[in-house]
Structure formats: C-alpha cells, structure tokens
Amino acid sequence: MTRVALVSGGTRGIGAAISEALKAAGYSVAANYAGNDERALAFKEETGIPVFKWDVSSYDACVAGIAKVEAELGPIDVLVNNAGITRDSMFHKMSPGQWNEVINTNLTGLFNMTHPVWSGMRDRSFGRIINISSINGQKGQMGQANYSAAKAGDIGFTKALAQEGAAKNITVNAICPGYIGTEMVLAVPEKVLNERILPLIPVGRLGQPEEIARCVVFLASDDAGFITGSTLSANGGQYFA
C-alpha cells in the first residue's frame, strides 16, 4: 500500500526538493503552501504533485487542510514540517509582530500540523514526523533571535514527542540544514557569499536542496525505524552539535 506524505512549505526551495524526492521514492505526496499561487501551480504542473493552500500558523486552517488532503489521498503516514519564514532584525529593533509571526509559523506551526495527524498515526501504529529545523536553532544567529528561538524550539518539540511516539512505532526526528543553495541564499550578494559565508563552511560550498531531501527520504523509510528523537545536522561541517 502506498504511503501518504504531506510536506508543509512543499512547493519551493528545500520543500520542493523534499516533495519531489518522496514522490520518486514511491510515496503519494501532498505539498502545502501558504501564499505563492503562481509558483505552487507551476510546481503542480511540473511534478504532478497535488498542492493545498493554507497557513500553518492557524490551527483551524491546518485541521481543515489536512482533512482535505486525507479525503483525497488517504491517511497521512509521513509529515514533513518544513514551512518557515524569516523576519530578521537586530533585537533592539525587533517588533512584537516580527517575533510573533516567526514563532507562530516556525514553532507553533509544528503543533498545528502534527496534532491533527497524531491520533491517526497512533491508531495505525505507524508514523514518521520529520521537522526541518536549522543550524541557527543549534548555534544561534545575530539578527535572528526570533528565528533561532523557534528553530531551537523545534528541536525540543522533536525530542519530547519522540518519547511519546516510540511505543506506537512513530518516529520523530529533526534535520538542521546549514546554508543551502535556495533562492533566498543565492540572492545574497556574491561578495558577501564568497567572503563571509563560504569561508565558514569547511566543505567549501553551499548545500543543495536535494541533499536535505535525501535525509528526509531516509528518515521516512522503514530502514530508519530505530532512529527517533535525533537531530541530523547537514551543514558541511560548519557546526557540530
């Protein structure tokens, strides 16, 4: 029986690579997105992966969206919590709005997406939850107090929930990417990239979205059934945790 995978933020960047890799591995994939209709529809056309629009910061929207996915594809076996935003600012200039937007999407979004699928996974005695955190949730980053706090919270959420899911054959793991060659990173001025970012990465290059996707495919597989509560760092040696 084909397993169903849902990827939040699954139509762009790392999320798109994850969606495509899971489809190639034989999963029936649904890709969630929040706002870019043009990109989402193009992704659907290119890949044949169905797309579903809702905001992960809203619990009610997640409940309704997940119900729609399950009505069309079946119960969700694999959930990849990838959706995330940045609202970078030095802390003395950071507004409550910038703080709350990032926390609500990047941390509370994990609760909002995972809670509606958790009971079903328990009932079926199988599940894979994979949370995309960040190197900056491990080491912190100047100008990202909101983002770093949320991504560190993702790791704590992973460790706690893994203990609850273990007896029901539900694994919960986190992946912490470093600098990955997405549109956002590649938009950084070349001088800044070459002089301030790449020298910090021992392997001497940016990661590729497909490299994170391969980590997800492994953690989603039966072969990874003994791995839970773990944090997989994929950062080219930039930070060891």
Side-chain angles (χ1 to χ4, degrees):
M1 186 175 182
T2 302
R3 286 180 175 158
V4 176
L6 171 60
V7 183
S8 70
T11 64
R12 300 175 65 191
I14 291 172
I18 292 169
S19 296
E20 292 184 64
L22 286 168
K23 181 181 179 182
Y27 294 85
S28 178
V29 180
N32 152 268
Y33 74 104
N36 192 327
D37 294 319
E38 183 179 354
R39 176 59 195 135
L41 293 175
F43 176 80
K44 181 181 179 181
E45 284 275 320
E46 293 162 7
T47 65
I49 295 171
V51 299
F52 298 83
K53 183 178 182 179
W54 74 83
D55 180 357
V56 303
S57 71
S58 165
Y59 182 78
D60 290 344
C62 289
V63 170
I66 287 168
K68 186 175 181 182
V69 171
E70 294 195 323
E72 292 190 22
L73 301 181
I76 292 166
D77 302 295
V78 177
L79 172 64
V80 184
N81 286 311
N82 170 73
I85 62 172
T86 56
R87 298 289 185 268
D88 295 352
S89 174
M90 296 298 287
F91 188 68
H92 66 283
K93 296 181 179 179
M94 185 174 290
S95 69
Q98 289 173 310
W99 174 269
N100 290 326
E101 282 183 60
V102 171
I103 296 297
N104 290 343
T105 296
N106 297 9
L107 178 56
T108 305
L110 269 67
F111 175 87
N112 294 343
M113 288 290 291
T114 306
H115 194 259
V117 305
W118 189 252
S119 292
M121 289 181 174
R122 284 174 51 84
D123 290 343
R124 296 187 300 276
S125 293
F126 180 86
R128 296 285 187 264
I129 308 292
I130 302 161
N131 301 316
I132 308 301
S133 180
S134 168
I135 185 175
N136 292 340
Q138 296 174 300
K139 72 175 186 62
Q141 178 60 42
M142 182 173 68
Q144 287 194 327
N146 48 6
Y147 185 83
S148 296
K151 291 300 187 177
D154 293 348
I155 296 171
F157 176 86
T158 297
K159 292 175 183 289
L161 198 59
Q163 296 178 54
E164 296 189 27
K168 291 291 187 178
N169 195 31
I170 305 169
T171 65
V172 188
N173 292 290
I175 298 172
C176 287
Y179 283 94
I180 306 299
T182 60
E183 290 177 30
M184 181 176 68
V185 172
L186 294 176
V188 172
E190 188 175 356
K191 181 178 175 66
V192 174
L193 188 64
N194 290 333
E195 295 182 7
R196 297 179 57 185
I197 295 177
L198 289 178
L200 299 176
I201 305 173
V203 301
R205 64 173 178 85
L206 298 175
Q208 295 301 311
E210 293 76 14
E211 293 178 294
I212 306 304
R214 288 194 288 272
C215 296
V216 171
V217 171
F218 171 65
L219 289 175
S221 71
D222 289 341
D223 290 340
F226 198 59
I227 302 172
T228 194
S230 293
T231 302
L232 177 56
S233 297
N235 60 40
Q238 185 178 353
Y239 183 78
F240 302 113

